[in-house]
Amino acid sequence: MGLTSNTVLALAALLAALLFVATVLLWPRLAGRNWRAVLGRVALLLLTQLLLFATLGLAANKSFLFYGSWTDLFGQETELGVVVDHSAAARDITVVDKQGMDVAGGTKPRVGGQIQKIVIAGEKSRIAGQAYVYLPPEYFKPRYADKNFPAALVLTGYPGTAENLLKGLRYPRTAHTQAQAGRMQPMVLVMLRPTVAPPRDTECVDVPRGPQTETFLAEDIPKAVSETYRVGTRARNWGVIGNSTGGYCALKFALHHPATFSAGAGLSAYYRAAEDPTTGDLFHGDDRARKRADLMWSLDHVKPSNTSFLVTSSRHGEDNLKETQRFVAKVRPPARVSSITLDNGGHNFGTWRREIPAAMEWLSGRLRAS
């Protein structure tokens, strides 16, 4: 049973309730002052509180997906061990698993589409990372056999997991529902976390003598995906969307790589690379690189392109509202900018789930099939 499964949560809640009832019933029998009675009372109280906190923790984790699995919770994540041969015979993308969708008839790809777990080997960056690819039902239907699809790179925040995008933020399910309702076109989604050298937060920067994160995400991945799947290769075929750190990365990629991405959506994004103990020294004294990682500076100094941006915030609950308004004011034609501003919404999954349907519809409207 998975850490985020309903069964685990229900079992924990049931055990907590049963132990509470047992405590009420047994308390009179443990009213004595001998050591056995005292020990019994202490044990019942501790066990009841432990199960109560465990239930609350499981419920919070299911909602916000701080941890995607038991191995993630206990620090047994093995993703660091990926080794890739970069010889001429090596494949850029290796499919390691396939799964259906959590929708009616979702076990059949022509009905629900399919989610593939892949390992991507970056040709230029020499970085290898795991991702999930959502292929819509149309991808498997004969009448679309010669059709290329638009695609979106979907990024989590730091230190999130790619599973957050599937289970917590529900990107594949949202894309399926929106497309079936005719509110967006069928799209391929490439979902991963921007943390390529965990636990370090590289802020989607090409670190001197370090991880070439921007090259991996903004160059290697679109190229590898377009060569493996029926996805177009032009900027009009590709968009990028993310939340928090992933939102910052999405806006940066759309701004600095207009030949690859024609649209970028940043949900609760910030606008300059963080520099703190989790990032280490990202720029090694390169002031130009530091300025380039500041989106406000870039909007003033990079020639505008025909790129579309979407930014989100809330009047109460987010601390990026003023910076978001500054970003909107700085975007110059031919670039275009749109925004979503909620009345209330914190920096959390609940807020982003309210924004993702509209953001995906917006993104779909700015991309084209080949």
Side-chain angles (χ1 to χ4, degrees):
M1 292 183 289
L3 177 63
T4 59
S5 72
N6 290 326
T7 303
V8 169
L9 179 58
L11 182 60
L14 178 61
L15 289 175
L18 290 175
L19 190 56
F20 174 77
V21 172
T23 300
V24 173
L25 295 176
L26 293 174
W27 197 262
R29 300 183 185 181
L30 300 173
R33 296 185 178 181
N34 59 74
W35 67 271
R36 290 188 179 85
V38 172
L39 184 61
R41 293 197 298 269
V42 170
L44 283 174
L45 288 174
L46 286 177
L47 287 173
T48 302
Q49 292 185 37
L50 180 62
L51 275 173
L52 177 60
F53 282 120
T55 302
L56 292 175
L58 287 167
N61 187 67
K62 180 175 175 59
S63 177
F64 297 108
L65 271 182
F66 300 115
Y67 301 97
S69 65
W70 293 108
T71 57
D72 189 18
L73 174 64
F74 293 112
Q76 297 173 330
E77 175 64 49
T78 59
E79 188 173 338
L80 284 172
V82 176
V83 176
V84 176
D85 178 11
H86 291 281
S87 65
R91 295 184 60 188
D92 289 335
I93 289 182
T94 303
V95 179
V96 296
D97 190 28
K98 298 179 181 180
Q99 63 186 53
M101 285 282 291
D102 183 22
V103 298
T107 57
K108 300 177 181 179
R110 292 186 184 182
V111 177
Q114 187 179 80
I115 296 173
Q116 297 186 353
K117 186 176 183 179
I118 64 173
V119 174
I120 302 178
E123 180 180 348
K124 294 177 65 176
S125 66
R126 295 295 191 250
I127 290 174
Q130 291 186 350
Y132 290 91
V133 174
Y134 164 70
L135 302 172
E138 291 78 6
Y139 193 91
F140 301 94
K141 296 180 180 179
R143 67 176 182 272
Y144 293 91
D146 298 324
K147 176 184 174 65
N148 282 341
F149 290 81
L153 184 65
V154 186
L155 302 172
T156 67
Y158 173 84
T161 66
E163 287 79 6
N164 290 351
L165 300 169
L166 277 66
K167 301 175 183 178
L169 295 177
R170 308 168 189 162
Y171 272 97
R173 186 180 181 91
T174 300
H176 180 274
T177 301
Q178 295 280 83
Q180 294 301 303
R183 289 189 287 269
M184 61 176 280
Q185 61 182 315
M187 291 172 54
V188 172
L189 305 181
V190 185
M191 300 165 284
L192 71 161
R193 62 180 184 176
T195 309
V196 300
R200 187 181 187 185
D201 176 11
T202 52
E203 291 289 297
C204 297
V205 166
D206 281 347
V207 181
R209 301 182 298 280
Q212 302 296 287
T213 312
E214 183 169 351
T215 297
F216 176 63
L217 295 171
E219 298 182 37
D220 286 342
I221 288 181
K223 180 178 182 295
V225 169
S226 293
E227 290 175 351
T228 305
Y229 299 95
R230 298 199 311 275
V231 170
T233 59
R234 299 181 181 181
R236 68 184 185 184
N237 308 132
W238 276 91
V240 55
I241 183 172
N243 60 277
S244 191
T245 300
Y248 160 73
C249 296
L251 296 175
K252 179 165 68 173
F253 293 165
L255 178 58
H256 289 302
H257 299 269
T260 302
F261 303 101
S262 62
L267 312 183
S268 302
Y270 49 88
Y271 299 95
R272 62 183 59 82
E275 293 182 80
D276 56 36
T278 68
T279 67
D281 187 355
L282 292 176
F283 305 108
H284 293 263
D286 188 337
D287 188 57
R288 177 74 181 185
R290 178 178 281 105
K291 288 178 178 177
R292 181 181 179 276
D294 183 333
L295 303 189
M296 302 298 184
W297 185 92
S298 293
L299 285 175
D300 288 336
H301 294 84
V302 174
K303 182 180 178 181
S305 59
N306 190 26
T307 304
S308 296
F309 302 98
L310 173 68
V311 290
T312 78
S313 187
S314 64
R315 295 181 180 87
H316 304 283
E318 287 277 19
D319 61 7
N320 74 334
L321 179 59
K322 289 185 178 180
E323 288 287 279
T324 298
Q325 292 169 338
R326 280 188 61 211
F327 182 90
V328 169
K330 280 181 174 289
V331 174
R332 294 172 291 157
R336 296 169 293 174
V337 62
S338 306
S339 65
I340 297 173
T341 305
L342 302 176
D343 286 334
N344 292 279
H347 199 79
N348 56 55
F349 279 30
T351 295
W352 301 325
R353 282 195 291 260
R354 293 159 60 198
E355 297 168 341
I356 286 171
M360 291 296 290
E361 185 176 344
W362 174 90
L363 191 62
S364 169
R366 280 145 186 83
L367 303 182
R368 298 290 179 268
S370 288

